[in-house]
Amino acid sequence: MMEFRNLTRILPLCATLLAGTALAAPAFAGPEDQSITIGMGEDFPTLDGYINTARDGVVITMHINDMLIYRNPKTFEYEPLLATAWERIDDKTIEFKLREGVTFHDGSPLTAEDVAFTYNYWADPANGARVQASVSWIDRAEVVDEYTVRVISKTAAPAALEFVAGSLPIYPSDYFESVGAEAFGQKPIGAGPYKVESFGDGLVKLVAHESYYEGGAKRTPSITTVNWRIIPDTATRIAEVIGGGVDWVWNVPSDQVEQLKVVPTLDVALASTLRIAMVTLDAAGRTGDNPLTDVRVRQAVNHAIDRETIVANLVGGDGEVINAPCHPVQFGCEQSAAVVYDYNPEKAKELLAEAGHADGFSVKIGSYRDRARAEAVQSYLAAVGITAELEMLQASPSFSGWREGKVGMWYGDWGSQSLADSSASIGSMFDGSSNDGARDETVIALVKEAAAVSDPEERKAKYAEAIKIITEQAYWVPMHTIVMGYAYTNTLNFEPTLDELPRFYDASWQ
Amino acid sequence: MLTYLLRRATMAMVVMVIVSVICFILSNVASDPAMGIAGAQATDEDLAVIREAYGLDRPLPVRYVEYVGGLLQGDFGTSYLSKRPALDMIWERLPVTALLAALSMALALAIAVPLGCAAAVWPNTIIDRLAQLMAVTGQAIPNFWAGLLLIVVFGVQLRWLPISGSATWAHFVLPSITLGTFAMPPLMRLIRAGMIEVLAADYIRTARAMGIRPFQLTFKYALKNAVLPVISLAAVQLGFMLGGSIVVESIFALNGVGYLAWQSMSRSDMPVIQAIVLLISMIYIVLTLLADLLNGVMDPRLRTSRK
């Protein structure tokens, strides 16, 4: 499959060159009727936001539904959405005051009853919410009065509001109960800026919710119809946007973003995301006794890889080298606390010799996203004598391979569920879970404490301490931030956001 | 004939059981299905909850027995993701794949039969060489490459045809050409080889001596005999198209069974994968059986030898 993908990269280039000489016609719809046709890569069997949690699913959920509060992708502050005010009553209880006069797409009013029902329903593991972490902290939700609801967590949950803002859409209780979960996923009703007009055969048609409330953080859409087309193949998606069949695509590989710059009808961007890439190392010896359990070998690996060159040539755009195991914009991600390893293959060889591996050793490295980058790492390792056997797989089996301790190294990435807090990066990858290839007791204790205290300064100090140990011990090779490639018709006003969630209600035609 | 049919049906059942075991084991050990369901961000606790909720914490043999029990009652399993019966999801998408396969096969035969005949009638001429060149080219070009090339030329540059989707008949033109040109070469070669053999046979020489016109001779007398192995091959090719149109369906965003298979694999939606594999192997077996029967009807010698 990966070979296939690599080969397919050549064709969009041809397409670009051809199209660069032609004047692309506009999409079959567009500014005239305030509609947009977008090309997405992932198909979904359901539109239920608690089940359909892939990235494209999260995007469609936020167009159909509203959460109680909104996290501004620029300031990372919480803003009112369905709730106009919220406060922590005690360690475990948050009270939300709901906006009055909000209606669902079927015209029924949104009340505290709907919120409590939605939270309580999905907090029950038996109902199978796919990301249990988003709901498992909820003990229960209680109706106080028609427009007041309290959410009570099982234990103190500093990240609760992140989930409230990010992954807990509010459903109409009456409709949900009357049709059942399965039918709801086929024909959902929400309180978001768009309602679903049709869904099936690789197409979702969204139309603006005409009685969408004013005053929330999301604006009433100026683009009234979103034709959401599922085009799984990247090369085809790119050909469609060049040909004008669709107005907007994403997940464009960085080299092709460069090529697409010559197309006169398109705007392109390689924008920052909250996603980071890293090479994880089996320091705990999960693959059995191996050289990576020696700190000198891990430091050698860190010195062996030229991250600057990889970022400059293979990541591009807004991509940047990271030194700490978290994204620089995340709360608590103090880059200055990290020990930085420069690119120094000689030093790497010395360290390897010191550790008794002057002749190098062999290791398995798993990866999935980008073969070119993985092969670059492979050859940097080869240059210091480490033979890395590359195993390219689909995302899920690749990550399973690391979590189950089948590979000694893994060049993967981590999106932190778009949460701008180190608890979602360091806290998820060094917590003693199967993500954690270091199993450092001190670090585990630090990240657990940092997740439980509420004083921001104290949290920062704990994460800084964790970063120091993680980098001293070279448990990872922190690599770089990941950029997202976009291409869209140049008469569209669209701005990519750091959380990788395109907002079409914010977009408009010029 | 009846014994033959019964024997084939029993064989088919055995094959199905073997396929179901292999498929079940492979899809369970290749990667952790719980992670496929819960997504990469899932914590260990999430995975535990998911395993319990979906019954993945029980031993493999127990789950297999349960699975086969369901199969015997016509229950092919329920998708982990959509919670819908896997069979329903396949039926919904089967028309797209079946149409694609039928169009591609029609196209492949429409090219392969006349071309193969012409190459055999005039062997080692420029016509023969051109036909062979077409076959080699058709086989050498991977279908994803051919598909993208067609997209670039006819979709992006000339804008004659839509690039992706399955809304109108026009959407099927490029995918059918892609898949059809891939299926054509072996058919063409087989027809050519068969025709050359048949045209050298005594009865053709006799017919020719009797003054039968060349056109009639080729298409009525010779082709009928040369076409027998082609039927078997076409049946296998059709089966291949049903199951193997994954690449073409994903390139052209056709919402067919092939794409469903790929999608389910990447998300570890095992019940759907298993249902597709079983169904495709069933179709394969039925097609092969039909081809054998058809051959039997067309060639009495096969009937007697198989009694």
Side-chain angles (χ1 to χ4, degrees), chain A residues 55 111 156 200 222 224 237 279 286 313 346 349 361 376 472:
Chain A
R55 173 69 43 179
T111 65
S222 88
T224 52
R237 232 173 22 249
V279 178
R286 290 193 294 182
N313 295 307
E346 288 314 312
K349 282 184 202 163
F361 61 91
E472 261 172 10

Side-chain angles (χ1 to χ4, degrees), chain B residues 173-235:
Chain B
V173 175
L174 295 181
S176 305
I177 296 175
T178 309
L179 203 55
T181 45
F182 195 66
M184 183 274 285
L187 293 170
M188 201 284 283
R189 285 223 190 93
L190 204 61
I191 290 172
R192 179 182 174 276
M195 284 294 281
I196 286 179
E197 199 182 315
V198 172
L199 285 174
D202 290 346
Y203 79 97
I204 294 290
R205 207 170 44 221
T206 314
R208 199 174 273 141
M210 285 169 72
I212 309 267
R213 277 175 295 131
F215 186 85
Q216 209 180 358
L217 190 80
T218 312
F219 287 97
K220 193 172 167 197
Y221 288 71
L223 187 61
K224 196 182 161 195
N225 285 313
V227 91
L228 290 176
V230 176
I231 293 174
S232 308
L233 181 67

Side-chain angles (χ1 to χ4, degrees), chain B residues 85-95 257 260 272 275-276 279:
Chain B
L87 210 53
D88 286 4
M89 293 171 74
I90 298 171
W91 281 133
E92 270 167 27
R93 293 175 179 227
L94 202 59
V257 179
L260 179 67
V272 182
I276 292 175
L279 209 71

Side-chain angles (χ1 to χ4, degrees), chain A residues 254 258 270-271 311 315-319 483:
Chain A
S254 55
E258 287 302 312
L270 265 182
V311 169
V315 179
D318 298 337
V483 289

Side-chain angles (χ1 to χ4, degrees), chain A residues 1 3-5 7-8 10-12 14-15 18-19 21-26 41-46 51 53-55 125-133 136 182 186 200-203 229-233 235-236 239-240 242-244 275 394 396-397 399-400 403-404 406 414-417 424 431-435 439, chain B residues 29-47 49-51 53-54 78-85 89 92-93 96 142-153 155-157 159 162-167 171 246-247 249-255 259-260 262-263 265-269:
Chain A
M1 201 64 193
E3 258 90 6
F4 158 67
R5 282 209 182 134
L7 273 169
T8 58
I10 303 160
L11 270 152
C14 309
L18 278 171
T21 61
L23 265 181
E42 285 183 271
D43 195 5
F44 16 76
T46 170
I51 302 291
T53 52
R55 173 69 43 179
N127 291 321
R130 288 190 63 205
V131 181
Q132 281 293 316
S136 59
E182 190 200 302
Q186 300 304 308
D201 275 342
L203 182 76
R229 286 193 50 203
I230 315 294
I231 307 169
D233 187 73
T236 310
E240 281 281 22
I242 296 170
R275 195 172 285 276
Q394 287 287 329
S396 167
F399 193 37
S400 291
R403 290 177 70 145
E404 289 165 22
K406 290 178 186 161
W414 186 252
S416 293
Q417 292 155 290
D431 57 349
S433 71
S434 57
N435 292 340
R439 309 289 165 125
Chain B
V29 298
S31 73
D32 183 355
M35 197 182 292
I37 301 168
Q41 311 269 359
T43 62
D44 293 347
E45 294 82 54
D46 295 352
L47 293 181
V49 170
I50 294 283
R51 276 194 200 101
Y54 289 86
T78 306
S79 162
Y80 288 156
L81 292 174
S82 66
K83 310 258 170 95
R84 300 181 55 213
M89 293 171 74
E92 270 167 27
R93 293 175 179 227
V96 170
N143 51 10
F144 65 83
W145 176 270
L148 288 168
L149 214 58
L150 290 172
I151 286 176
V152 169
V153 176
V156 177
Q157 191 62 15
R159 287 161 198 259
I163 297 172
S164 61
S166 53
H171 285 88
I246 293 179
V247 172
E249 286 185 10
S250 122
I251 289 175
F252 292 97
L254 288 175
N255 227 0
Y259 177 48
L260 179 67
W262 181 80
Q263 231 178 356
M265 278 181 240
S266 58
R267 294 169 179 172
S268 307
D269 197 351

